[in-house]
Amino acid sequence: MARLLNGIKVVELAGLAPVPHCGMMLADFGADVTVIDKKHPVVEQRMNRGKTMKEFDLRKPEDIKKVRELCKTSDVLLDPYRPGTLEKMGLDPLSLWNDNKGLIICRISGYGQTGRMKDEAGHDINYVAMSGMMPTFAGREASRPWPPVNMLADFAGGGLSAAFGIVSAIHARHHNGGKGCVLDCSMTEGTAYLASFVQHYYDQSHLFTDKYAAFTGECPIYRYGKVKEEVAIENAWKNVFRTYKTKDGKFMAVGPLEPKFHQNMFEVLGVDGDDLFSDPELITKELEETFLQKTRDEWSKVFEGKDCCVTPVLDIHEVGTYGQHVDRQNFTKSDKFGGTWIAKPSPRVQTMEELTATATRSKL
């Protein structure tokens, strides 16, 4: 493969799916990628092809200084953390730019660096749900929205979108005096942007909304065999990584894989989760009955700020009106294409001047 990014230096702060994927793509195309990881990471990193590995303890000031030194001579910093974490570590963009004005800081997060949900936990299922696309993926006849495998938000809306933003920012330095920028890469917004085709053609009923439309999973041309009815769930985690119908016939996306998140969820719901692993069918039934007690929007308010990886499933006609998307002005209403909401480009770019102005306003 041609090393198109030969000479580009990247510092990757170790994280989950989208960041190592982005770093791997950059390395695949010739970039010199250095991964900063813990000595004993909780999750084994397997997307380290072509990368140099370094073990730092970022709780130690001396190791933070080492990262700063690497950034002085690097082109890109990959940030896998929630908004504000770099600042708490002493690696805020403005101070890094004092040492290296050309540094491109790519911040990959679930919902972006601003907005009311910026600090919320989430996983691929939640970002896809928030993009407005999950009902379309499930197909017209689906009993409930079905989350696709985590390639969509983590790797396409996240890692791939970030890599494109980085390459664009590298190109821009040739025309802006060598200045870097912050790339605000939201996996939710990246997923919505990937769905531009659906947004622009959703009014074509033969593609999406007719009974045997091409992309519903019910079209005789594309569908082979019969869809089997849902069978008994074998693994308990599947019960907390699915959608649940609400009182108004809409759905909530429930994805609290980690113990701390599903414990938070059970506390919010007032449900006894002790049977989660011993009787998954029982807990599934209980959760189904519980979510039917309130409307989707009522549940959204209940879970707001609770850090449970529980989000509403939004559809293409309402996605632009939801709070987080309004905060960040993520969509524009189209007068064409059936009046759907059209996602704005992602990731976002913040110039040095814009970030400086924002920082100045926040101090006033």
Side-chain angles (χ1 to χ4, degrees), residues 199-220:
Q199 295 159 358
H200 285 82
Y201 286 87
Y202 199 75
D203 63 322
Q204 302 295 301
S205 61
H206 67 283
L207 295 179
F208 298 105
T209 56
D210 288 346
K211 184 174 182 179
Y212 295 109
F215 300 135
T216 61
E218 296 297 321
C219 177

mmCIF file with all atom_site columns, all heavy atoms in Angstrom, residues 199-220:
data_model
loop_
_atom_site.group_PDB
_atom_site.id
_atom_site.type_symbol
_atom_site.label_atom_id
_atom_site.label_alt_id
_atom_site.label_comp_id
_atom_site.label_asym_id
_atom_site.label_entity_id
_atom_site.label_seq_id
_atom_site.pdbx_PDB_ins_code
_atom_site.Cartn_x
_atom_site.Cartn_y
_atom_site.Cartn_z
_atom_site.occupancy
_atom_site.B_iso_or_equiv
_atom_site.pdbx_formal_charge
_atom_site.auth_seq_id
_atom_site.auth_comp_id
_atom_site.auth_asym_id
_atom_site.auth_atom_id
_atom_site.pdbx_PDB_model_num
ATOM 1   N N   . GLN A 1 199 ? -31.579 10.182  3.928  1.00 0.00 ? 199 GLN A N   1
ATOM 2   C CA  . GLN A 1 199 ? -32.212 11.470  4.205  1.00 0.00 ? 199 GLN A CA  1
ATOM 3   C C   . GLN A 1 199 ? -32.689 12.153  2.922  1.00 0.00 ? 199 GLN A C   1
ATOM 4   O O   . GLN A 1 199 ? -33.761 12.760  2.890  1.00 0.00 ? 199 GLN A O   1
ATOM 5   C CB  . GLN A 1 199 ? -31.228 12.370  4.954  1.00 0.00 ? 199 GLN A CB  1
ATOM 6   C CG  . GLN A 1 199 ? -30.866 11.861  6.336  1.00 0.00 ? 199 GLN A CG  1
ATOM 7   C CD  . GLN A 1 199 ? -29.566 12.447  6.852  1.00 0.00 ? 199 GLN A CD  1
ATOM 8   O OE1 . GLN A 1 199 ? -28.894 13.212  6.160  1.00 0.00 ? 199 GLN A OE1 1
ATOM 9   N NE2 . GLN A 1 199 ? -29.196 12.081  8.069  1.00 0.00 ? 199 GLN A NE2 1
ATOM 10  N N   . HIS A 1 200 ? -31.900 12.041  1.873  1.00 0.00 ? 200 HIS A N   1
ATOM 11  C CA  . HIS A 1 200 ? -32.239 12.722  0.627  1.00 0.00 ? 200 HIS A CA  1
ATOM 12  C C   . HIS A 1 200 ? -33.258 11.966  -0.230 1.00 0.00 ? 200 HIS A C   1
ATOM 13  O O   . HIS A 1 200 ? -33.890 12.561  -1.107 1.00 0.00 ? 200 HIS A O   1
ATOM 14  C CB  . HIS A 1 200 ? -30.972 12.971  -0.199 1.00 0.00 ? 200 HIS A CB  1
ATOM 15  C CG  . HIS A 1 200 ? -30.123 14.091  0.319  1.00 0.00 ? 200 HIS A CG  1
ATOM 16  N ND1 . HIS A 1 200 ? -29.233 13.930  1.356  1.00 0.00 ? 200 HIS A ND1 1
ATOM 17  C CD2 . HIS A 1 200 ? -30.050 15.394  -0.037 1.00 0.00 ? 200 HIS A CD2 1
ATOM 18  C CE1 . HIS A 1 200 ? -28.630 15.077  1.600  1.00 0.00 ? 200 HIS A CE1 1
ATOM 19  N NE2 . HIS A 1 200 ? -29.109 15.986  0.775  1.00 0.00 ? 200 HIS A NE2 1
ATOM 20  N N   . TYR A 1 201 ? -33.418 10.660  0.012  1.00 0.00 ? 201 TYR A N   1
ATOM 21  C CA  . TYR A 1 201 ? -34.313 9.862   -0.822 1.00 0.00 ? 201 TYR A CA  1
ATOM 22  C C   . TYR A 1 201 ? -35.450 9.212   -0.038 1.00 0.00 ? 201 TYR A C   1
ATOM 23  O O   . TYR A 1 201 ? -36.153 8.363   -0.575 1.00 0.00 ? 201 TYR A O   1
ATOM 24  C CB  . TYR A 1 201 ? -33.517 8.762   -1.541 1.00 0.00 ? 201 TYR A CB  1
ATOM 25  C CG  . TYR A 1 201 ? -32.661 9.280   -2.669 1.00 0.00 ? 201 TYR A CG  1
ATOM 26  C CD1 . TYR A 1 201 ? -31.374 9.740   -2.423 1.00 0.00 ? 201 TYR A CD1 1
ATOM 27  C CD2 . TYR A 1 201 ? -33.133 9.321   -3.976 1.00 0.00 ? 201 TYR A CD2 1
ATOM 28  C CE1 . TYR A 1 201 ? -30.582 10.233  -3.443 1.00 0.00 ? 201 TYR A CE1 1
ATOM 29  C CE2 . TYR A 1 201 ? -32.353 9.804   -5.007 1.00 0.00 ? 201 TYR A CE2 1
ATOM 30  C CZ  . TYR A 1 201 ? -31.074 10.262  -4.737 1.00 0.00 ? 201 TYR A CZ  1
ATOM 31  O OH  . TYR A 1 201 ? -30.300 10.746  -5.753 1.00 0.00 ? 201 TYR A OH  1
ATOM 32  N N   . TYR A 1 202 ? -35.642 9.638   1.207  1.00 0.00 ? 202 TYR A N   1
ATOM 33  C CA  . TYR A 1 202 ? -36.638 8.962   2.040  1.00 0.00 ? 202 TYR A CA  1
ATOM 34  C C   . TYR A 1 202 ? -38.056 9.133   1.510  1.00 0.00 ? 202 TYR A C   1
ATOM 35  O O   . TYR A 1 202 ? -38.942 8.332   1.812  1.00 0.00 ? 202 TYR A O   1
ATOM 36  C CB  . TYR A 1 202 ? -36.551 9.475   3.483  1.00 0.00 ? 202 TYR A CB  1
ATOM 37  C CG  . TYR A 1 202 ? -37.207 8.544   4.477  1.00 0.00 ? 202 TYR A CG  1
ATOM 38  C CD1 . TYR A 1 202 ? -36.586 7.361   4.857  1.00 0.00 ? 202 TYR A CD1 1
ATOM 39  C CD2 . TYR A 1 202 ? -38.456 8.837   5.022  1.00 0.00 ? 202 TYR A CD2 1
ATOM 40  C CE1 . TYR A 1 202 ? -37.179 6.491   5.755  1.00 0.00 ? 202 TYR A CE1 1
ATOM 41  C CE2 . TYR A 1 202 ? -39.063 7.974   5.924  1.00 0.00 ? 202 TYR A CE2 1
ATOM 42  C CZ  . TYR A 1 202 ? -38.417 6.799   6.288  1.00 0.00 ? 202 TYR A CZ  1
ATOM 43  O OH  . TYR A 1 202 ? -39.009 5.936   7.170  1.00 0.00 ? 202 TYR A OH  1
ATOM 44  N N   . ASP A 1 203 ? -38.295 10.156  0.705  1.00 0.00 ? 203 ASP A N   1
ATOM 45  C CA  . ASP A 1 203 ? -39.634 10.355  0.151  1.00 0.00 ? 203 ASP A CA  1
ATOM 46  C C   . ASP A 1 203 ? -39.940 9.373   -0.979 1.00 0.00 ? 203 ASP A C   1
ATOM 47  O O   . ASP A 1 203 ? -41.086 9.287   -1.438 1.00 0.00 ? 203 ASP A O   1
ATOM 48  C CB  . ASP A 1 203 ? -39.794 11.790  -0.356 1.00 0.00 ? 203 ASP A CB  1
ATOM 49  C CG  . ASP A 1 203 ? -38.849 12.107  -1.507 1.00 0.00 ? 203 ASP A CG  1
ATOM 50  O OD1 . ASP A 1 203 ? -37.689 11.629  -1.468 1.00 0.00 ? 203 ASP A OD1 1
ATOM 51  O OD2 . ASP A 1 203 ? -39.258 12.824  -2.437 1.00 0.00 ? 203 ASP A OD2 1
ATOM 52  N N   . GLN A 1 204 ? -38.949 8.609   -1.424 1.00 0.00 ? 204 GLN A N   1
ATOM 53  C CA  . GLN A 1 204 ? -39.156 7.597   -2.460 1.00 0.00 ? 204 GLN A CA  1
ATOM 54  C C   . GLN A 1 204 ? -39.671 6.321   -1.789 1.00 0.00 ? 204 GLN A C   1
ATOM 55  O O   . GLN A 1 204 ? -38.901 5.499   -1.302 1.00 0.00 ? 204 GLN A O   1
ATOM 56  C CB  . GLN A 1 204 ? -37.850 7.328   -3.207 1.00 0.00 ? 204 GLN A CB  1
ATOM 57  C CG  . GLN A 1 204 ? -37.248 8.558   -3.860 1.00 0.00 ? 204 GLN A CG  1
ATOM 58  C CD  . GLN A 1 204 ? -38.133 9.112   -4.957 1.00 0.00 ? 204 GLN A CD  1
ATOM 59  O OE1 . GLN A 1 204 ? -38.439 8.422   -5.931 1.00 0.00 ? 204 GLN A OE1 1
ATOM 60  N NE2 . GLN A 1 204 ? -38.567 10.357  -4.809 1.00 0.00 ? 204 GLN A NE2 1
ATOM 61  N N   . SER A 1 205 ? -40.984 6.169   -1.765 1.00 0.00 ? 205 SER A N   1
ATOM 62  C CA  . SER A 1 205 ? -41.595 5.096   -0.976 1.00 0.00 ? 205 SER A CA  1
ATOM 63  C C   . SER A 1 205 ? -41.175 3.708   -1.436 1.00 0.00 ? 205 SER A C   1
ATOM 64  O O   . SER A 1 205 ? -41.123 2.775   -0.631 1.00 0.00 ? 205 SER A O   1
ATOM 65  C CB  . SER A 1 205 ? -43.121 5.219   -1.015 1.00 0.00 ? 205 SER A CB  1
ATOM 66  O OG  . SER A 1 205 ? -43.600 5.106   -2.350 1.00 0.00 ? 205 SER A OG  1
ATOM 67  N N   . HIS A 1 206 ? -40.859 3.550   -2.722 1.00 0.00 ? 206 HIS A N   1
ATOM 68  C CA  . HIS A 1 206 ? -40.477 2.221   -3.205 1.00 0.00 ? 206 HIS A CA  1
ATOM 69  C C   . HIS A 1 206 ? -39.118 1.790   -2.661 1.00 0.00 ? 206 HIS A C   1
ATOM 70  O O   . HIS A 1 206 ? -38.756 0.618   -2.744 1.00 0.00 ? 206 HIS A O   1
ATOM 71  C CB  . HIS A 1 206 ? -40.453 2.196   -4.734 1.00 0.00 ? 206 HIS A CB  1
ATOM 72  C CG  . HIS A 1 206 ? -39.383 3.047   -5.340 1.00 0.00 ? 206 HIS A CG  1
ATOM 73  N ND1 . HIS A 1 206 ? -39.484 4.416   -5.421 1.00 0.00 ? 206 HIS A ND1 1
ATOM 74  C CD2 . HIS A 1 206 ? -38.178 2.728   -5.878 1.00 0.00 ? 206 HIS A CD2 1
ATOM 75  C CE1 . HIS A 1 206 ? -38.398 4.905   -5.999 1.00 0.00 ? 206 HIS A CE1 1
ATOM 76  N NE2 . HIS A 1 206 ? -37.592 3.905   -6.281 1.00 0.00 ? 206 HIS A NE2 1
ATOM 77  N N   . LEU A 1 207 ? -38.375 2.741   -2.090 1.00 0.00 ? 207 LEU A N   1
ATOM 78  C CA  . LEU A 1 207 ? -37.079 2.406   -1.507 1.00 0.00 ? 207 LEU A CA  1
ATOM 79  C C   . LEU A 1 207 ? -37.177 2.073   -0.021 1.00 0.00 ? 207 LEU A C   1
ATOM 80  O O   . LEU A 1 207 ? -36.492 1.168   0.465  1.00 0.00 ? 207 LEU A O   1
ATOM 81  C CB  . LEU A 1 207 ? -36.095 3.566   -1.696 1.00 0.00 ? 207 LEU A CB  1
ATOM 82  C CG  . LEU A 1 207 ? -35.688 3.911   -3.126 1.00 0.00 ? 207 LEU A CG  1
ATOM 83  C CD1 . LEU A 1 207 ? -34.730 5.091   -3.120 1.00 0.00 ? 207 LEU A CD1 1
ATOM 84  C CD2 . LEU A 1 207 ? -35.044 2.709   -3.814 1.00 0.00 ? 207 LEU A CD2 1
ATOM 85  N N   . PHE A 1 208 ? -38.043 2.815   0.715  1.00 0.00 ? 208 PHE A N   1
ATOM 86  C CA  . PHE A 1 208 ? -37.990 2.701   2.167  1.00 0.00 ? 208 PHE A CA  1
ATOM 87  C C   . PHE A 1 208 ? -39.309 2.389   2.871  1.00 0.00 ? 208 PHE A C   1
ATOM 88  O O   . PHE A 1 208 ? -39.293 1.768   3.927  1.00 0.00 ? 208 PHE A O   1
ATOM 89  C CB  . PHE A 1 208 ? -37.422 4.001   2.767  1.00 0.00 ? 208 PHE A CB  1
ATOM 90  C CG  . PHE A 1 208 ? -36.023 4.317   2.340  1.00 0.00 ? 208 PHE A CG  1
ATOM 91  C CD1 . PHE A 1 208 ? -35.776 5.311   1.411  1.00 0.00 ? 208 PHE A CD1 1
ATOM 92  C CD2 . PHE A 1 208 ? -34.952 3.611   2.853  1.00 0.00 ? 208 PHE A CD2 1
ATOM 93  C CE1 . PHE A 1 208 ? -34.484 5.602   1.002  1.00 0.00 ? 208 PHE A CE1 1
ATOM 94  C CE2 . PHE A 1 208 ? -33.656 3.888   2.457  1.00 0.00 ? 208 PHE A CE2 1
ATOM 95  C CZ  . PHE A 1 208 ? -33.422 4.884   1.521  1.00 0.00 ? 208 PHE A CZ  1
ATOM 96  N N   . THR A 1 209 ? -40.439 2.830   2.352  1.00 0.00 ? 209 THR A N   1
ATOM 97  C CA  . THR A 1 209 ? -41.653 2.782   3.165  1.00 0.00 ? 209 THR A CA  1
ATOM 98  C C   . THR A 1 209 ? -42.767 1.881   2.638  1.00 0.00 ? 209 THR A C   1
ATOM 99  O O   . THR A 1 209 ? -43.666 1.519   3.394  1.00 0.00 ? 209 THR A O   1
ATOM 100 C CB  . THR A 1 209 ? -42.218 4.204   3.359  1.00 0.00 ? 209 THR A CB  1
ATOM 101 O OG1 . THR A 1 209 ? -42.444 4.803   2.074  1.00 0.00 ? 209 THR A OG1 1
ATOM 102 C CG2 . THR A 1 209 ? -41.240 5.063   4.148  1.00 0.00 ? 209 THR A CG2 1
ATOM 103 N N   . ASP A 1 210 ? -42.753 1.520   1.358  1.00 0.00 ? 210 ASP A N   1
ATOM 104 C CA  . ASP A 1 210 ? -43.761 0.582   0.861  1.00 0.00 ? 210 ASP A CA  1
ATOM 105 C C   . ASP A 1 210 ? -43.560 -0.792  1.500  1.00 0.00 ? 210 ASP A C   1
ATOM 106 O O   . ASP A 1 210 ? -42.468 -1.117  1.982  1.00 0.00 ? 210 ASP A O   1
ATOM 107 C CB  . ASP A 1 210 ? -43.664 0.446   -0.663 1.00 0.00 ? 210 ASP A CB  1
ATOM 108 C CG  . ASP A 1 210 ? -44.175 1.681   -1.383 1.00 0.00 ? 210 ASP A CG  1
ATOM 109 O OD1 . ASP A 1 210 ? -44.826 2.511   -0.725 1.00 0.00 ? 210 ASP A OD1 1
ATOM 110 O OD2 . ASP A 1 210 ? -43.900 1.811   -2.593 1.00 0.00 ? 210 ASP A OD2 1
ATOM 111 N N   . LYS A 1 211 ? -44.614 -1.606  1.477  1.00 0.00 ? 211 LYS A N   1
ATOM 112 C CA  . LYS A 1 211 ? -44.542 -2.913  2.124  1.00 0.00 ? 211 LYS A CA  1
ATOM 113 C C   . LYS A 1 211 ? -43.374 -3.745  1.615  1.00 0.00 ? 211 LYS A C   1
ATOM 114 O O   . LYS A 1 211 ? -42.692 -4.415  2.391  1.00 0.00 ? 211 LYS A O   1
ATOM 115 C CB  . LYS A 1 211 ? -45.857 -3.663  1.919  1.00 0.00 ? 211 LYS A CB  1
ATOM 116 C CG  . LYS A 1 211 ? -45.891 -5.008  2.648  1.00 0.00 ? 211 LYS A CG  1
ATOM 117 C CD  . LYS A 1 211 ? -47.250 -5.665  2.553  1.00 0.00 ? 211 LYS A CD  1
ATOM 118 C CE  . LYS A 1 211 ? -47.262 -6.977  3.337  1.00 0.00 ? 211 LYS A CE  1
ATOM 119 N NZ  . LYS A 1 211 ? -48.577 -7.647  3.295  1.00 0.00 ? 211 LYS A NZ  1
ATOM 120 N N   . TYR A 1 212 ? -43.143 -3.722  0.320  1.00 0.00 ? 212 TYR A N   1
ATOM 121 C CA  . TYR A 1 212 ? -42.042 -4.506  -0.244 1.00 0.00 ? 212 TYR A CA  1
ATOM 122 C C   . TYR A 1 212 ? -40.943 -3.601  -0.794 1.00 0.00 ? 212 TYR A C   1
ATOM 123 O O   . TYR A 1 212 ? -40.307 -3.908  -1.802 1.00 0.00 ? 212 TYR A O   1
ATOM 124 C CB  . TYR A 1 212 ? -42.566 -5.440  -1.338 1.00 0.00 ? 212 TYR A CB  1
ATOM 125 C CG  . TYR A 1 212 ? -43.505 -6.493  -0.811 1.00 0.00 ? 212 TYR A CG  1
ATOM 126 C CD1 . TYR A 1 212 ? -44.865 -6.442  -1.091 1.00 0.00 ? 212 TYR A CD1 1
ATOM 127 C CD2 . TYR A 1 212 ? -43.027 -7.527  -0.009 1.00 0.00 ? 212 TYR A CD2 1
ATOM 128 C CE1 . TYR A 1 212 ? -45.736 -7.404  -0.594 1.00 0.00 ? 212 TYR A CE1 1
ATOM 129 C CE2 . TYR A 1 212 ? -43.885 -8.488  0.493  1.00 0.00 ? 212 TYR A CE2 1
ATOM 130 C CZ  . TYR A 1 212 ? -45.236 -8.424  0.202  1.00 0.00 ? 212 TYR A CZ  1
ATOM 131 O OH  . TYR A 1 212 ? -46.092 -9.380  0.700  1.00 0.00 ? 212 TYR A OH  1
ATOM 132 N N   . ALA A 1 213 ? -40.726 -2.492  -0.126 1.00 0.00 ? 213 ALA A N   1
ATOM 133 C CA  . ALA A 1 213 ? -39.698 -1.546  -0.565 1.00 0.00 ? 213 ALA A CA  1
ATOM 134 C C   . ALA A 1 213 ? -38.316 -2.200  -0.561 1.00 0.00 ? 213 ALA A C   1
ATOM 135 O O   . ALA A 1 213 ? -38.048 -3.135  0.199  1.00 0.00 ? 213 ALA A O   1
ATOM 136 C CB  . ALA A 1 213 ? -39.702 -0.317  0.334  1.00 0.00 ? 213 ALA A CB  1
ATOM 137 N N   . ALA A 1 214 ? -37.449 -1.671  -1.406 1.00 0.00 ? 214 ALA A N   1
ATOM 138 C CA  . ALA A 1 214 ? -36.151 -2.303  -1.648 1.00 0.00 ? 214 ALA A CA  1
ATOM 139 C C   . ALA A 1 214 ? -35.301 -2.460  -0.398 1.00 0.00 ? 214 ALA A C   1
ATOM 140 O O   . ALA A 1 214 ? -34.599 -3.461  -0.234 1.00 0.00 ? 214 ALA A O   1
ATOM 141 C CB  . ALA A 1 214 ? -35.383 -1.491  -2.695 1.00 0.00 ? 214 ALA A CB  1
ATOM 142 N N   . PHE A 1 215 ? -35.358 -1.477  0.497  1.00 0.00 ? 215 PHE A N   1
ATOM 143 C CA  . PHE A 1 215 ? -34.429 -1.485  1.622  1.00 0.00 ? 215 PHE A CA  1
ATOM 144 C C   . PHE A 1 215 ? -35.091 -1.796  2.964  1.00 0.00 ? 215 PHE A C   1
ATOM 145 O O   . PHE A 1 215 ? -34.586 -1.408  4.016  1.00 0.00 ? 215 PHE A O   1
ATOM 146 C CB  . PHE A 1 215 ? -33.708 -0.128  1.702  1.00 0.00 ? 215 PHE A CB  1
ATOM 147 C CG  . PHE A 1 215 ? -32.919 0.199   0.466  1.00 0.00 ? 215 PHE A CG  1
ATOM 148 C CD1 . PHE A 1 215 ? -32.987 1.454   -0.110 1.00 0.00 ? 215 PHE A CD1 1
ATOM 149 C CD2 . PHE A 1 215 ? -32.107 -0.757  -0.134 1.00 0.00 ? 215 PHE A CD2 1
ATOM 150 C CE1 . PHE A 1 215 ? -32.262 1.761   -1.251 1.00 0.00 ? 215 PHE A CE1 1
ATOM 151 C CE2 . PHE A 1 215 ? -31.379 -0.469  -1.278 1.00 0.00 ? 215 PHE A CE2 1
ATOM 152 C CZ  . PHE A 1 215 ? -31.456 0.794   -1.844 1.00 0.00 ? 215 PHE A CZ  1
ATOM 153 N N   . THR A 1 216 ? -36.213 -2.502  2.951  1.00 0.00 ? 216 THR A N   1
ATOM 154 C CA  . THR A 1 216 ? -36.898 -2.826  4.205  1.00 0.00 ? 216 THR A CA  1
ATOM 155 C C   . THR A 1 216 ? -36.598 -4.228  4.706  1.00 0.00 ? 216 THR A C   1
ATOM 156 O O   . THR A 1 216 ? -36.971 -4.581  5.822  1.00 0.00 ? 216 THR A O   1
ATOM 157 C CB  . THR A 1 216 ? -38.418 -2.720  4.029  1.00 0.00 ? 216 THR A CB  1
ATOM 158 O OG1 . THR A 1 216 ? -38.826 -3.665  3.026  1.00 0.00 ? 216 THR A OG1 1
ATOM 159 C CG2 . THR A 1 216 ? -38.835 -1.318  3.630  1.00 0.00 ? 216 THR A CG2 1
ATOM 160 N N   . GLY A 1 217 ? -35.948 -5.043  3.890  1.00 0.00 ? 217 GLY A N   1
ATOM 161 C CA  . GLY A 1 217 ? -35.768 -6.437  4.254  1.00 0.00 ? 217 GLY A CA  1
ATOM 162 C C   . GLY A 1 217 ? -36.962 -7.284  3.870  1.00 0.00 ? 217 GLY A C   1
ATOM 163 O O   . GLY A 1 217 ? -36.982 -8.495  4.123  1.00 0.00 ? 217 GLY A O   1
ATOM 164 N N   . GLU A 1 218 ? -37.979 -6.682  3.248  1.00 0.00 ? 218 GLU A N   1
ATOM 165 C CA  . GLU A 1 218 ? -39.177 -7.406  2.835  1.00 0.00 ? 218 GLU A CA  1
ATOM 166 C C   . GLU A 1 218 ? -39.305 -7.492  1.315  1.00 0.00 ? 218 GLU A C   1
ATOM 167 O O   . GLU A 1 218 ? -40.229 -8.107  0.806  1.00 0.00 ? 218 GLU A O   1
ATOM 168 C CB  . GLU A 1 218 ? -40.429 -6.720  3.403  1.00 0.00 ? 218 GLU A CB  1
ATOM 169 C CG  . GLU A 1 218 ? -40.512 -6.741  4.916  1.00 0.00 ? 218 GLU A CG  1
ATOM 170 C CD  . GLU A 1 218 ? -40.598 -8.153  5.478  1.00 0.00 ? 218 GLU A CD  1
ATOM 171 O OE1 . GLU A 1 218 ? -41.283 -9.000  4.871  1.00 0.00 ? 218 GLU A OE1 1
ATOM 172 O OE2 . GLU A 1 218 ? -39.964 -8.414  6.507  1.00 0.00 ? 218 GLU A OE2 1
ATOM 173 N N   . CYS A 1 219 ? -38.395 -6.873  0.609  1.00 0.00 ? 219 CYS A N   1
ATOM 174 C CA  . CYS A 1 219 ? -38.459 -6.888  -0.850 1.00 0.00 ? 219 CYS A CA  1
ATOM 175 C C   . CYS A 1 219 ? -38.104 -8.279  -1.376 1.00 0.00 ? 219 CYS A C   1
ATOM 176 O O   . CYS A 1 219 ? -37.059 -8.825  -1.011 1.00 0.00 ? 219 CYS A O   1
ATOM 177 C CB  . CYS A 1 219 ? -37.497 -5.853  -1.428 1.00 0.00 ? 219 CYS A CB  1
ATOM 178 S SG  . CYS A 1 219 ? -37.448 -5.842  -3.223 1.00 0.00 ? 219 CYS A SG  1
ATOM 179 N N   . PRO A 1 220 ? -38.948 -8.892  -2.216 1.00 0.00 ? 220 PRO A N   1
ATOM 180 C CA  . PRO A 1 220 ? -38.681 -10.252 -2.711 1.00 0.00 ? 220 PRO A CA  1
ATOM 181 C C   . PRO A 1 220 ? -37.351 -10.377 -3.453 1.00 0.00 ? 220 PRO A C   1
ATOM 182 O O   . PRO A 1 220 ? -36.762 -11.450 -3.505 1.00 0.00 ? 220 PRO A O   1
ATOM 183 C CB  . PRO A 1 220 ? -39.861 -10.520 -3.653 1.00 0.00 ? 220 PRO A CB  1
ATOM 184 C CG  . PRO A 1 220 ? -40.933 -9.598  -3.194 1.00 0.00 ? 220 PRO A CG  1
ATOM 185 C CD  . PRO A 1 220 ? -40.235 -8.374  -2.700 1.00 0.00 ? 220 PRO A CD  1
#
